[in-house]
Amino acid sequence: MKEECGVFGVYSFSDEAVAKTTFYGLFALQHRGQESAGIAVSDGEEIKNYKAMGLVNQVFDEKILQNLPGKLAIGHVRYSTTGSSTIENAQPIKMDMKYGPLVIAHNGNLINSGDLRQELKDKGISFAGDTDSEVMAAMIATSTKQDLEDAIVDTLKHCKGGFSVVILTKDKLIAVRDPNGIRPLVVGKLPDGYVFASETCALDIVGAAFMRDVGNGEMVVIDKEGLHSRTWSRGEREALCVFEFIYFARPDSDLDGRNVYEARVQMGKYLAKEHPADVDMIIGVPDSGIAAAIGFAAESGIPFSDGLIKNRYVGRTFIQPTQKMRDLGVKLKLNPLRETLRGKKVVVIDDSIVRGTTSRQIISLLREVGVREVHMRVSSPPITHSCFYGIDTPTRAELIASNLSIEGIRKYLDVESLGYLSLDSLVKSIGLGRRGHCLACFNSEYPIKVPEKLKSLKLIFK
Ligand code: SF4
């Protein structure tokens, strides 16, 4: 499972240049995408857009930010879900329209973007890249509506899928969220302006106070008059992606009013109740397995210990590893604490098992340093279905839980015991009703119907 993208937007009523604010907002959202980063800024007359491949602090420096003057900005960090990893697909995407220049940045995935793209191509529109964001921008540009906000709403009504979008014009900052609220998006208040961000951790870093989530099917507009909002779609089932809680979001973020770290600790507590084990210590797979391991230890009374040390500087790099290094696999990222683990019986907790290959390598590392018994616990249910709403998941054929029983997975991983958190306990850990989440990768109840042709495409080509 790979992160999707992160979006950020800021509108300042003072004369302060906001490119730096956007830089720090993106810096806080770096975990959501490491392939490319971009910032677009308006000074009221002109929009400048700068983007490149790489991490936020590889793409931007002081000089570049100084050359991006203006009081309104949006920013984006990208991991490619739709579209390949190229500069043409980096965001924000700028387009000149009858409404003036417009820049768009998008997190999520449209399940009907292929059809929408074809309709636009049939009208003679050409595309520089192959992202959903460019499709959205082209739809806004070709809308018959006279007013920009009407054109955006007109476009959104044709878009199906999970999306959180920020849009910049010369004098407006706009944020929209899909009717099911699948991808997160929040509004924050600065002393002299407003901020939009994928996660609340990006509000904290720029000194903004959390105001509220952008509602499902809501469009929030900030202009010189202040903030106004309109709901363009009502009555859809609320379906925030539960994987944001399990893995994607930063633990210091709050989603729908629930702190992510607290939710993960609670998942570990329920896991200890459902799948106890007689062991010497509890360890977690860094980073997202750690909070659940702390919860498991608290509930079971068995001590938590660091057992696997993560190289904090393993991120996206443009230096390709050699084949010999690739063979080392997970050793590039994780190293076991030999002295702590030797001869011990341990519970090792990870947030999820996707293909099973990484977990198997981690368990093999533990065996190599002399761990006596390995009991694997997973702080989410078995993943049996692919995601179509902006998370890069493998095909069902590659998902281990789609093909093997729990006992089959246990044997494949070579562990003494294996236990997954139940769906009910996962939902209870998050503390919101089940109707409030997308749980489709565990129970196949997709909140938005996925076209059969898309399902089969994913099965064949991914
Ligand atoms: S299918 Fe899974 S990963 Fe995709 S939005 Fe739903 S819960 Fe999230």
Side-chain angles (χ1 to χ4, degrees):
M1 304 284 265
K2 294 275 172 49
E3 298 91 338
E4 342 84 83
C5 296
V7 295
F8 187 85
V10 53
Y11 190 118
S12 172
F13 293 105
S14 74
D15 286 331
E16 186 200 358
V18 293
K20 244 182 205 180
T21 310
T22 312
F23 170 85
Y24 281 108
L26 294 183
F27 196 57
L29 298 172
Q30 184 75 82
H31 60 289
R32 298 184 72 85
Q34 298 93 41
E35 291 187 355
S36 65
I39 294 176
V41 178
S42 169
D43 61 6
E45 300 292 326
E46 189 193 359
I47 296 180
K48 285 188 176 172
N49 190 20
Y50 186 90
K51 54 190 174 174
M53 306 305 288
L55 300 171
V56 178
N57 60 7
Q58 292 170 327
V59 170
F60 293 99
D61 60 23
E62 196 76 40
K63 199 167 151 210
I64 293 168
L65 293 172
Q66 271 170 11
N67 283 328
L68 293 170
K71 302 194 300 181
L72 300 72
I74 61 171
H76 189 263
V77 285
R78 178 164 195 262
Y79 171 79
S80 55
T81 44
T82 299
S84 43
S85 178
T86 59
I87 188 64
E88 291 77 31
N89 287 334
Q91 298 185 38
I93 285 171
K94 186 177 172 193
M95 226 176 244
D96 286 315
M97 305 185 181
K98 63 186 177 220
Y99 316 101
L102 178 143
V103 196
I104 187 166
H106 166 231
N107 167 212
N109 201 35
L110 301 185
I111 55 174
N112 62 338
S113 70
D115 292 342
L116 297 172
R117 179 181 292 270
Q118 193 53 53
E119 280 171 30
L120 289 160
K121 279 186 177 170
D122 292 344
K123 289 182 192 164
I125 309 291
S126 56
F127 293 91
D130 52 2
T131 63
D132 294 352
S133 321
E134 204 180 353
V135 171
M136 278 179 158
M139 287 174 72
I140 297 167
T142 53
S143 169
T144 54
K145 304 285 181 191
Q146 290 310 307
D147 175 74
L148 171 66
E149 290 179 30
D150 291 339
I152 293 171
V153 167
D154 190 36
T155 295
L156 296 171
K157 286 185 173 166
H158 291 89
C159 294
K160 291 198 175 81
F163 51 88
S164 285
V165 179
V166 286
I167 296 170
L168 179 74
T169 69
K170 282 196 291 187
D171 52 9
K172 282 184 186 182
L173 176 66
I174 300 170
V176 290
R177 199 163 170 210
D178 71 79
N180 300 88
I182 292 175
R183 305 263 70 91
L185 191 62
V186 295
V187 196
K189 183 81 184 76
L190 288 166
D192 54 3
Y194 293 95
V195 169
F196 295 119
S198 293
E199 289 181 37
T200 58
C201 65
L203 304 186
D204 299 336
I205 199 172
V206 301
F210 172 76
M211 284 176 66
R212 63 181 179 86
D213 292 295
V214 175
N216 305 346
E218 184 186 14
M219 176 167 77
V220 181
V221 181
I222 304 180
D223 57 22
K224 62 181 186 334
E225 312 296 336
L227 182 152
H228 65 270
S229 138
R230 79 198 235 195
T231 301
W232 55 273
S233 173
R234 284 179 203 280
E236 298 297 334
R237 178 190 140 190
E238 186 143 341
L240 175 65
C241 169
V242 79
F243 246 98
E244 294 283 350
F245 284 99
I246 296 167
Y247 171 66
F248 299 127
R250 257 176 51 164
D252 51 336
S253 286
D254 295 339
L255 300 168
D256 269 354
R258 173 70 163 148
N259 174 254
V260 172
Y261 180 83
E262 294 297 329
R264 288 180 188 164
V265 170
Q266 192 57 52
M267 288 171 207
K269 289 184 178 177
Y270 279 121
L271 195 53
K273 282 185 188 162
E274 290 181 349
H275 301 285
D278 179 16
V279 293
D280 303 312
M281 66 170 67
I282 314 296
I283 65 170
V285 177
D287 290 312
S288 46
I290 296 292
I294 289 170
F296 195 109
E299 181 64 31
S300 63
I302 302 166
F304 165 82
S305 173
D306 284 324
L308 291 159
I309 302 302
K310 183 178 174 182
N311 179 346
R312 306 255 159 235
Y313 302 96
V314 170
R316 191 170 166 73
T317 167
F318 291 104
I319 312 293
Q320 292 299 316
T322 60
Q323 188 55 46
K324 197 171 156 202
M325 288 168 76
R326 251 191 227 115
D327 293 342
L328 289 173
V330 79
K331 280 187 181 170
L332 282 175
K333 284 188 192 161
L334 296 173
N335 210 12
L337 284 173
R338 198 175 294 268
E339 298 306 320
T340 309
L341 294 168
R342 185 179 295 135
K344 299 287 190 333
K345 296 191 283 182
V346 303
V347 156
V348 57
I349 300 190
D350 208 348
D351 59 81
S352 54
I353 300 179
V354 183
R355 291 182 177 87
T357 44
T358 304
S359 302
R360 199 167 128 118
Q361 286 180 9
I362 291 170
I363 287 148
S364 155
L365 283 184
L366 297 175
R367 299 275 188 214
E368 274 174 35
V369 298
V371 171
R372 187 146 58 98
E373 287 181 18
V374 183
H375 300 264
M376 179 97 199
R377 298 293 180 265
V378 187
S379 58
S380 63
I383 302 170
T384 50
H385 288 76
S386 304
C387 179
F388 298 89
Y389 309 138
I391 304 300
D392 187 25
T393 43
T395 65
R396 285 194 70 196
E398 295 166 284
L399 290 168
I400 192 167
S402 189
N403 295 289
L404 294 179
S405 64
I406 305 286
E407 176 57 14
I409 301 169
R410 185 196 70 72
K411 283 189 181 147
Y412 171 79
L413 297 178
D414 185 26
V415 287
E416 271 70 25
S417 71
L418 171 66
Y420 284 90
L421 187 66
S422 68
L423 201 54
D424 276 350
S425 291
L426 172 65
V427 172
K428 277 193 278 176
S429 304
I430 294 165
L432 306 164
R434 183 180 292 196
R435 282 186 56 78
H437 300 103
C438 176
L439 300 165
C441 45
F442 306 121
N443 65 6
S444 78
E445 290 173 17
Y446 290 98
I448 311 162
K449 196 170 176 325
V450 179
E452 285 306 318
K453 68 175 181 190
L454 195 64
K455 283 189 190 169
S456 54
L457 268 179
K458 189 152 188 165
L459 278 172
I460 295 165
F461 293 121
K462 277 217 66 176

